[in-house]
Amino acid sequence: MSIFKEAEFNFKPTYRRMRDDPGYSNKKGQCPSWTDRVFVKSRPSQYCQILEYDSMEHCYLSDHRPVYQVLEVAVEPPYINRKYMYAD
C-alpha cells in the first residue's frame, strides 16, 4: 500500500504532445502516456481533500501538458515558544 495518494483522473494523456496544437506526436515511436501527475502525502490525522485534478489541455509550451491539483487542507499553527517571543 502506497503512502501517497493520487486522485482519479479523467484527462487525456499529457505526454508526447505536439508543441503547437492539441495533437499527439509519435516522433520516437512512443505512445501517449500520463507522465505528468500529482501525488499527495499527509499525516493520517491531517485533513487533506482533493477538490480538483486536471490537465491544462490548451497550454502549448512543450511536448508535455501541465497538470494541476486543488487541495483543501487543515493546517495546524506552528509551535511558538512564547518565552522568546518578546524582547526585554
Side-chain angles (χ1 to χ4, degrees):
M1 183 175 172
S2 175
I3 59 175
F4 292 94
K5 294 188 303 187
E6 181 181 25
E8 290 187 31
F9 55 90
N10 296 314
F11 50 85
K12 296 176 184 178
T14 57
Y15 176 65
R16 213 61 205 160
R17 305 297 293 269
M18 301 295 288
R19 291 178 187 266
D20 52 0
D21 70 52
Y24 289 91
S25 168
N26 194 13
K27 183 178 171 182
K28 297 180 182 177
Q30 298 168 321
C31 63
S33 60
W34 288 271
T35 58
D36 307 287
R37 297 160 68 181
V38 179
F39 294 90
V40 177
K41 178 183 174 188
S42 65
R43 294 185 189 122
S45 62
Q46 185 178 18
Y47 175 78
C48 180
Q49 181 71 34
I50 299 168
L51 303 177
E52 188 175 353
Y53 186 29
D54 207 350
S55 69
M56 298 178 73
E57 190 64 29
H58 300 289
C59 185
Y60 306 127
L61 299 174
S62 74
D63 58 352
H64 291 260
R65 293 297 182 263
V67 297
Y68 67 92
Q69 191 169 79
V70 178
L71 302 167
E72 181 177 68
V73 296
V75 180
E76 297 175 15
Y79 172 75
I80 298 172
N81 187 338
R82 301 205 185 280
K83 177 180 174 182
Y84 300 105
M85 197 167 172
Y86 303 102
D88 290 333

